[in-house]
Amino acid sequence: MVMLNRWNGKQGEAASAPGARGKAGARRRGRLHKLWLPLAFLLPALGLYAVFFVYPFLFSLSLSFQQWNLISPDKEFVGLANYVHLLHDDVFWISLRNSALYMLMTVPLAVGIGLAMALLVESLWKGKRLYRLVFFLPVVSSIGVISIVWGLMYNPQDGAVNKLLASFGIQGPNWINDPAMALWALAIVGIWKGFGYNMVLYISGLKSIDRSLYEAASIDGAGRGARLRHVTVPLLSPVTFFILVMSIISSFQVFATIQIITRGGPNNSTNVLVYQIYQEAFQFFNIGTAAASSTLLLLIVGTLTVVQLRLSNRMVHYQ
Amino acid sequence: MQRTLRLMEEGGKHLLLITVAFFILIPILWMLATSVKAPQEVFSGHLFWAEHFSLDGYLRVFRDIPFTLWAWNSSVIAGAQTLGQLVVGLAAAFAFAHYRFPGRDALFFFVLMTMMIPPQVTMVPVYMIVNELHLLNTFGGVIVPHLASGYAIFLLRQTFMTIPRELGEASVIDGCSAIGTMWHVYLRLSGTVMSALAVILFVGNWNDYHWPLLVLAEKSLQTLPVAFVQFREEESLEWVPTMAVATLSMLPILALYLAAQKQFIEGFMNSGLKG
């Protein structure tokens, strides 16, 4: 069957331009044909990317050098003033610090719990599917709706969190009203919503590990812990790498929980970079400052990704 | 002896996992229980159990809250957006997988890169473009900027690459047009991935919050999560109807998730690691 198709394929190439006069003409038309058709299929995607990705991207860069309030017809070129303004703005630094903190709070735990649950669930005899289903449920829940539920969960007197803690005799904190706890409160929602996705990726990574490697390790006398450390974890490192890159990028995008639960407060303790951009643009109408902040966000996320790519050459083992 | 040990270990794991599962389900269980409580019970009663079972919250949803309108808006937007993303993604993935042309790999790399850049970086200018196109406060303004989905293009291209080239070429020789080849060969042979992708995209679109919040200021057009958040604040809605709305808004996604759990989870599994 495959042979037949291959033969057909060759036949097809020679006869692809039946109407062409000369051999050269046929070839040229064939080549043009080859370029024109795939471009036609790519056109919708490329057109959309041009209008809603590339152009806005450059536009944002140019806006970051201008002063503008979204409504007035005039934009004023101000050079680096927006950047200078940001670097002297306390709220910007607080939001940058909070973004970094939020990443450090959520990523290791969401990745660690995801891995632990994947290992546990996959080692079961029965019930794998049920646990997978439950742990993945938060991933598909609507972040807007679930933020409202979590907001009420954190109510200091009547919320489920503190009531549960109280039933263990623990006096719960003020959560979203306490500047020291508010970011943790949001991080818990982030971990809750995100770890299931990591778990599913880890499960697919576990499934692709060759069983014979475990047998070989066992024959060499490796116990369970050693097999985990020397076979499973290194062979999962490409998955871990992918998960880390994606989780770090998405941890910088946290928005809905903040906009719905805390509005960046109390006292900017949950104001992150993306929320600061939103406020600058759509509440204070400082479009230039928002654009400059967006550029810095891109630089930070880009740098983190490049650093990880570099590190991955040393740390990631491919099977 | 060995067997008993292993059984005990299995039991221990289940115990641990059930505990974790309980903690994960707390918000959902609490939401469900609160939504069927009588108002006087909300703050004093049992956390996960309604002693005075009442459907008042749900009655209020349909009497006082434009819930069906919100759900309709969300369905139309998520449905149209998903359909568009599938069509655009199918065409682009077909071009990447079926043809060889100069710049192909660079363009594909570009598509991957679009997924790595936080959408907030371009959000302000995209908002302005949508404004210029007079698409603010329209469904189109929510849908159109997201029609080119890097995720859809990537996943479909990866799937199409596993289809032997010869099949596509053979269909061209048999007189099939390019569109016919895309349709009869590539689409036909990737039905499962297509349906998984459709479900994943739909849920993502349905749940999207940030962008619809910016584009839809007009109340009658807002999507469910956006309208719900605003309504709750403006009307200072009590806990019981709030939880009833929350429960009802999770139902469609929950039903879809339970019905298509296999496609869902496997679709996500395939998404990560073959790049």
Side-chain angles (χ1 to χ4, degrees):
Chain A
M1 183 62 194
V2 173
M3 286 280 280
L4 191 72
N5 281 328
R6 219 165 252 160
W7 179 81
N8 271 342
K10 270 196 183 149
Q11 185 86 336
E13 250 168 58
S16 68
R21 298 219 173 91
K23 243 185 177 176
R27 202 177 301 142
R28 187 155 78 233
R29 195 187 281 192
R31 209 178 286 156
L32 261 178
H33 183 72
K34 266 185 184 160
L35 195 64
W36 182 82
L37 254 180
L39 274 182
F41 280 99
L42 278 173
L43 197 65
L46 293 183
L48 285 160
Y49 276 131
V51 178
F52 295 108
F53 185 80
V54 179
Y55 174 67
F57 191 78
L58 300 171
F59 195 13
S60 175
L61 207 61
S62 91
L63 278 173
S64 76
F65 300 109
Q66 297 172 27
Q67 192 165 31
W68 189 44
N69 65 4
L70 196 61
I71 299 146
S72 113
D74 308 311
K75 298 176 194 136
E76 189 191 343
F77 180 80
V78 291
L80 288 170
N82 289 324
Y83 291 93
V84 174
H85 168 78
L86 271 182
L87 297 181
H88 288 99
D89 181 10
D90 287 341
V91 176
F92 171 76
W93 287 107
I94 292 170
S95 71
L96 182 60
R97 197 201 60 167
N98 286 338
S99 281
L101 278 176
Y102 183 84
M103 175 189 84
L104 293 172
M105 288 169 175
T106 52
V107 174
L109 280 170
V111 176
I113 298 173
L115 175 61
M117 290 305 122
L119 289 168
L120 259 176
V121 168
E122 275 307 286
S123 72
L124 290 177
W125 288 347
K126 280 207 156 69
K128 290 184 200 187
R129 267 186 44 179
L130 189 65
Y131 291 115
R132 245 174 28 182
L133 198 67
V134 171
F135 294 154
F136 199 70
L137 187 62
V139 180
V140 297
S141 67
S142 155
I143 187 66
V145 174
I146 211 67
S147 292
I148 290 179
V149 176
W150 270 100
L152 298 181
M153 295 260 298
Y154 281 130
N155 184 298
Q157 283 84 43
D158 304 308
V161 176
N162 278 2
K163 278 200 169 169
L164 263 182
L165 287 175
S167 67
F168 291 105
I170 304 168
Q171 159 95 57
N174 233 336
W175 294 111
I176 49 176
N177 304 315
D178 177 356
M181 289 308 292
L183 198 61
W184 269 112
L186 299 182
I188 290 171
V189 183
I191 296 165
W192 178 83
K193 190 148 176 22
F195 85 96
Y197 180 54
N198 299 339
M199 177 196 73
V200 161
L201 291 180
Y202 270 127
I203 288 177
S204 84
L206 282 172
K207 285 192 165 155
S208 70
I209 293 177
D210 191 347
R211 308 303 311 171
S212 64
L213 289 169
Y214 288 111
E215 282 157 29
S218 296
I219 292 164
D220 290 345
R224 234 196 239 185
R227 285 204 299 266
L228 180 66
R229 214 170 53 241
H230 299 299
V231 181
T232 312
V233 170
L235 288 178
L236 283 180
S237 58
V239 189
T240 306
F241 172 66
F242 175 81
I243 291 177
L244 277 178
V245 171
M246 297 318 274
S247 326
I248 289 177
I249 293 176
S250 70
S251 77
F252 272 90
Q253 294 173 27
V254 59
F255 175 79
T257 48
I258 294 166
Q259 202 261 345
I260 295 165
I261 303 179
T262 64
R263 304 251 153 194
N267 218 345
N268 281 320
S269 61
T270 57
N271 198 342
V272 296
L273 220 42
V274 161
Y275 193 70
Q276 185 257 356
I277 295 173
Y278 167 76
Q279 282 189 314
E280 287 288 352
F282 297 102
Q283 286 177 11
F284 312 141
F285 303 109
N286 294 326
I287 300 298
T289 318
S293 203
S294 307
T295 312
L296 294 176
L297 169 70
L298 179 69
L299 277 178
I300 293 163
V301 173
T303 311
L304 284 173
T305 307
V306 170
V307 167
Q308 287 183 87
L309 283 170
R310 285 275 153 78
L311 285 176
S312 79
N313 294 334
R314 254 185 292 156
M315 319 275 268
V316 175
H317 305 265
Y318 289 96
Q319 205 160 326
Chain B
M1 187 61 204
Q2 186 92 38
R3 198 181 145 74
T4 340
L5 259 173
R6 290 186 71 176
L7 269 175
M8 275 173 63
E9 191 194 306
E10 175 91 356
K13 283 178 187 165
H14 277 289
L15 211 63
L16 183 62
L17 283 168
I18 287 170
T19 316
V20 179
F22 169 71
F23 278 102
I24 297 307
L25 288 175
I26 285 176
I28 314 259
L29 296 173
W30 189 60
M31 171 186 81
L32 282 173
T34 311
S35 75
V36 293
K37 279 181 179 176
Q40 72 271 16
E41 225 199 317
V42 173
F43 301 119
S44 57
H46 194 279
L47 265 186
F48 303 115
W49 188 249
E51 270 152 56
H52 306 280
F53 182 87
S54 130
L55 286 174
D56 274 5
Y58 290 90
L59 287 179
R60 281 208 46 201
V61 172
F62 291 106
R63 213 179 46 215
D64 309 333
I65 302 171
F67 178 82
T68 39
L69 176 70
W70 301 342
W72 169 254
N73 291 346
S74 269
S75 312
V76 173
I77 289 178
Q81 194 169 328
T82 306
L83 201 66
Q85 285 168 331
L86 287 176
V87 172
V88 173
L90 171 68
F94 170 70
F96 280 128
H98 184 69
Y99 296 102
R100 293 193 195 116
F101 53 93
R104 183 185 66 172
D105 296 341
L107 278 178
F108 187 62
F109 181 76
F110 166 80
V111 171
L112 290 183
M113 204 193 60
T114 62
M115 286 196 285
M116 309 279 279
I117 289 179
Q120 286 92 354
V121 170
T122 51
M123 208 165 253
V124 176
V126 172
Y127 178 85
M128 288 157 54
I129 292 166
V130 166
N131 183 26
E132 288 287 312
L133 297 171
H134 301 289
L135 287 175
L136 281 187
N137 281 316
T138 66
F139 287 175
V142 182
I143 296 167
V144 176
H146 294 127
L147 283 183
S149 153
Y151 179 71
I153 297 173
F154 171 70
L155 191 64
L156 287 175
R157 185 261 188 190
Q158 298 308 86
T159 311
F160 290 170
M161 292 300 270
T162 64
I163 294 171
R165 274 191 92 76
E166 289 81 5
L167 284 181
E169 281 162 9
S171 104
V172 174
I173 292 131
D174 291 348
C176 232
S177 66
I179 291 180
T181 305
M182 177 176 84
W183 197 262
H184 293 298
V185 179
Y186 286 88
L187 189 60
R188 282 280 167 80
L189 289 174
S190 35
T192 28
V193 175
M194 225 33 203
S195 58
L197 179 64
V199 175
I200 289 169
L201 288 173
F202 183 85
V203 171
N205 297 335
W206 175 283
N207 288 344
D208 193 14
Y209 182 76
H210 200 163
W211 183 243
L213 170 75
L214 298 183
V215 175
L216 302 172
E218 167 65 43
K219 284 210 173 69
S220 62
L221 296 172
Q222 282 174 344
T223 58
L224 211 166
V226 175
F228 179 28
V229 169
Q230 262 185 32
F231 185 87
R232 214 184 82 77
E233 268 167 26
E234 285 163 12
E235 310 283 322
S236 37
L237 196 64
E238 303 93 331
W239 285 27
V240 173
T242 295
M243 291 308 203
V245 176
T247 306
L248 287 172
S249 20
M250 291 226 182
L251 276 183
I253 294 300
L254 203 66
L256 196 60
Y257 174 54
L258 290 179
Q261 41 166 310
K262 203 165 171 292
Q263 285 92 320
F264 236 105
I265 293 183
E266 276 164 21
F268 271 107
M269 282 182 175
N270 292 332
S271 71
L273 303 159
K274 292 177 182 165

